[in-house]
Amino acid sequence: MIQINKIYINGEFVSPLGTETFDLINPTTNLKTGEVTLGNEEDTQMAIAAAKNAFKTFSKTTKEERIAYLQKMHEAVSKREEELVSVMVDEYGGTLQFCRMSVQNAISAFTTTITILKSYDFEKTAGHSKVRFESLGVVGIITPWNASNSFICNKLATAIAAGCTAVIKPSEMSARQTQLIAECFHEAGLPKGVFNIVNGLGNIVGTEITHHPDIAKISFTGSTVTGKAIAKGAVDTMKRITLELGGKSPNIILEDADLNKAIPMAVFGAFMNNGQACIAPTRLLVPQNKLEEVNELAKKAAEQVKVGNPAEEDTLVGPMVSAKQYDRVQSYIRLGQEEGATLLSGGEGKPAGLENGNFVKATVFTNVRNDMRIAREEIFGPVLSIIPYADEEEAIAIANDTTYGLAAYISSSDRERAENIAAQIDAGRVCINGFSHDPFAPFGGFKQSGIGREYGVFGLEAYLEPKAILA
Ligand code: NDP
């Protein structure tokens, strides 16, 4: 049995005062693999105090010193890349393909942040004034389970670049991944208290971070419901917040797109990260007059998707992270049928031979209307909804008819036309003809997909406070 019974405060692995434990369950087998001891309010307060103390000196470090720390972190994390991948596959159930990419994102967070920092000027002029961009203070970093270390590395790298110190509260379901990344960060030899990590529950550790007056900012990734609770709590002490929340992203296929390429890509894209991705293109908008052709291609693509052991090279969809998440996804598959959508592929229940883990069949619904709940709510599983549209105007209207606005996707053989549509979509990131990622471009949501932006200079400035000095 694995025992994770330390948290990280002020440069040391220490035993938490909290005594409650949480079972670590392997999602592929549903067998208990270990336990994590959870920190409590007092542990969180001690972590915040350590970060507050470290901020006094860390905020005064030079750009060169911060670059050197980021470089050391990059080296320490890179060294354990393979372990990071295998623990993520085992603990979270992410596929090997996905976990490799996710760990790469974690590693490159340090190098891209160094690049940004090198050319960033912390002093600018506005009018006849000098504007200093100063470190905000102690940052509370609260992350979910669906790409745990990648979120932690990106947020922490940005905090360090900005001269901030941090208290990190990861998901307790990612405790083994957290332990490994904490060991890497420890090896990097940062000054004591610059980063602190407290495993614990959202309504205990997360709530303490949200309300504590010594936290200046919260960077959160997770559900919109929790994001709203954090925003409400944070306002009492006027904390700065960056909230990266849920999505129900449209993927508009224009009639001039090559369907043979675009449809399989759309299906595989929707199932990326086992469908547990905030940016997943879960609403596939297709021309009504091509619906039959699309259905055929989508069904064929979904049937090719290998659902199974996430450690196998060719698996595209692994298990849901927990039995709770499995039940949630099942309830949406039931709902889709009750709402009158046509089940094209997959459906309720576990795939044959995979009864032990939290496996969901790769599911595609067609003839979905955008007012159905399966088209409006974030399912967070491998469930795709195909929604037909009459013309371009209607496609844009459907794409924007959502409370979310995190990402959108457009496939077309006419780049100018696609860009023209991109300009009309309410989403923080629009990808044309694919699912590319750019760590220098801003990332974040319109509407209820969040507040603020991460990545690039936009992300860095969210950890800085501008101060105008007028002569
Ligand atoms: P949550 O938003 O509840 O959890 C994300 C993080 O926030 C976790 O570390 C969690 O801790 C913490 N948290 C929970 N409640 C509070 C609180 N009151 N104050 C401060 N922190 C808190 O996501 P879930 O894991 O519960 O997933 C539920 C749904 O959210 C998913 O089905 C999916 O739809 C969506 N989701 C979206 C993600 C995204 O990337 N946009 C990521 C994850 C989930 P703890 O683990 O202890 O609850």
Side-chain angles (χ1 to χ4, degrees):
M1 271 299 141
I2 297 161
Q3 291 293 337
I4 309 265
N5 50 18
K6 295 275 192 282
I7 54 176
Y8 192 86
I9 297 182
N10 207 29
E12 282 175 70
F13 286 95
V14 296
S15 300
L17 297 173
T19 51
E20 220 183 301
T21 58
F22 176 87
D23 288 346
L24 299 172
I25 310 286
N26 181 318
T28 304
T29 59
N30 266 321
L31 296 173
K32 181 172 166 178
T33 55
E35 282 178 355
V36 52
T37 308
L38 304 174
N40 63 16
E41 285 93 346
E42 275 179 277
D43 293 309
T44 315
Q45 288 156 10
M46 284 193 283
I48 295 170
K52 185 183 176 185
N53 193 40
F55 181 74
K56 288 182 212 152
T57 44
F58 196 69
S59 56
K60 307 281 184 300
T61 48
T62 63
K63 207 156 116 167
E64 289 65 34
E65 285 169 314
R66 293 177 203 167
I67 288 171
Y69 288 130
L70 289 167
Q71 188 59 44
K72 282 187 189 158
M73 294 175 92
H74 177 257
E75 282 157 23
V77 177
S78 301
K79 257 199 253 171
R80 298 186 75 177
E81 179 173 0
E82 274 179 34
E83 264 175 281
L84 286 159
V85 171
S86 72
V87 167
M88 186 176 179
V89 172
D90 203 52
E91 177 173 58
Y92 166 59
T95 65
L96 200 51
Q97 297 176 22
F98 176 77
C99 295
R100 281 195 190 120
M101 190 178 73
S102 184
V103 170
Q104 261 310 314
N105 286 344
I107 292 171
S108 63
F110 299 102
T111 41
T112 49
T113 305
I114 289 172
T115 308
I116 292 158
L117 193 48
K118 276 185 179 160
S119 60
Y120 188 74
D121 202 346
F122 285 87
E123 220 172 82
K124 300 175 192 180
T125 45
H128 55 82
S129 306
K130 195 186 271 182
V131 184
R132 286 167 53 86
F133 282 74
E134 298 190 349
S135 319
L136 253 176
V138 179
V139 179
I141 293 176
I142 304 177
T143 52
W145 37 259
N146 62 330
S148 184
N149 282 340
S150 172
F151 294 134
I152 290 175
C153 288
N154 179 53
K155 291 176 197 292
L156 183 59
T158 315
I160 286 170
C164 294
T165 57
V167 175
I168 303 165
K169 188 228 114 31
S171 167
E172 60 283 354
M173 281 193 277
S174 311
R176 289 173 58 203
Q177 296 166 77
T178 303
Q179 173 68 26
L180 204 49
I181 205 79
E183 288 171 17
C184 297
F185 294 164
H186 179 70
E187 195 197 309
L190 270 65
K192 285 184 191 313
V194 168
F195 74 93
N196 305 271
I197 305 178
V198 185
N199 288 318
L201 298 178
N203 60 9
I204 295 177
V205 177
T207 300
E208 186 62 34
I209 291 173
T210 302
H211 293 276
H212 201 290
D214 291 336
I215 295 280
K217 175 198 168 74
I218 295 182
S219 178
F220 169 77
T221 297
S223 65
T224 295
V225 171
T226 303
K228 287 180 185 177
I230 290 174
K232 282 180 189 151
V235 80
D236 285 339
T237 45
M238 220 45 97
K239 290 180 176 49
R240 279 62 183 140
I241 46 172
T242 302
L243 305 175
E244 198 276 278
L245 310 175
K248 195 75 196 177
S249 301
N251 185 359
I252 305 175
I253 309 293
L254 295 177
E255 81 274 350
D256 62 7
D258 177 355
L259 295 185
N260 287 308
K261 261 199 211 153
I263 301 304
M265 192 164 73
V267 170
F268 300 145
F271 298 160
M272 168 184 48
N273 195 2
N274 306 344
Q276 299 172 139
C278 50
I279 52 166
T282 46
R283 291 187 296 144
L284 182 59
L285 276 46
V286 303
Q288 176 77 58
N289 60 5
K290 303 222 167 169
L291 185 61
E292 257 179 56
E293 193 183 345
V294 167
N295 285 346
E296 214 172 286
L297 287 165
K299 186 174 164 60
K300 201 168 141 208
E303 284 168 357
Q304 278 169 6
V305 168
K306 179 177 164 187
V307 180
N309 184 345
E312 284 169 14
E313 270 309 329
D314 55 346
T315 299
L316 202 78
V317 176
M320 300 296 93
V321 70
S322 62
K324 184 176 155 211
Q325 190 66 17
Y326 170 84
D327 289 340
R328 176 188 156 99
V329 177
Q330 291 298 311
S331 73
Y332 276 105
I333 296 175
R334 255 189 316 279
L335 179 68
Q337 293 167 94
E338 285 160 14
E339 286 183 308
T342 311
L343 187 65
L344 200 59
S345 172
E348 279 182 82
K350 295 184 180 177
L354 294 169
E355 289 78 9
N356 293 336
N358 306 317
F359 293 96
V360 172
K361 293 177 189 161
T363 298
V364 180
F365 281 110
T366 190
N367 293 318
V368 176
R369 283 191 331 267
N370 203 49
D371 62 354
M372 292 177 179
R373 280 182 57 201
I374 56 162
R376 305 203 76 78
E377 297 172 19
E378 189 176 42
I379 299 174
F380 237 53
V383 183
L384 173 66
S385 292
I386 301 178
I387 305 172
Y389 65 81
D391 53 28
E392 200 175 289
E393 203 184 326
E394 195 188 24
I396 296 166
I398 295 172
N400 288 335
D401 178 17
T402 168
T403 55
Y404 292 112
L406 188 59
Y409 306 84
I410 301 167
S411 284
S412 170
S413 55
D414 181 344
R415 174 104 211 158
E416 209 182 312
R417 186 177 171 203
E419 283 199 22
N420 182 34
I421 292 177
Q424 300 173 69
I425 302 293
D426 304 331
R429 193 170 264 205
V430 185
C431 293
I432 296 173
N433 293 331
F435 303 109
S436 54
H437 174 58
D438 184 348
F440 297 99
F443 177 69
F446 278 36
K447 301 192 275 185
Q448 294 189 34
S449 283
I451 292 179
R453 294 291 180 271
E454 298 193 277
Y455 290 104
V457 170
F458 310 88
L460 178 62
E461 290 193 340
Y463 289 71
L464 297 167
E465 195 78 275
K467 180 192 281 174
I469 306 200
L470 284 68

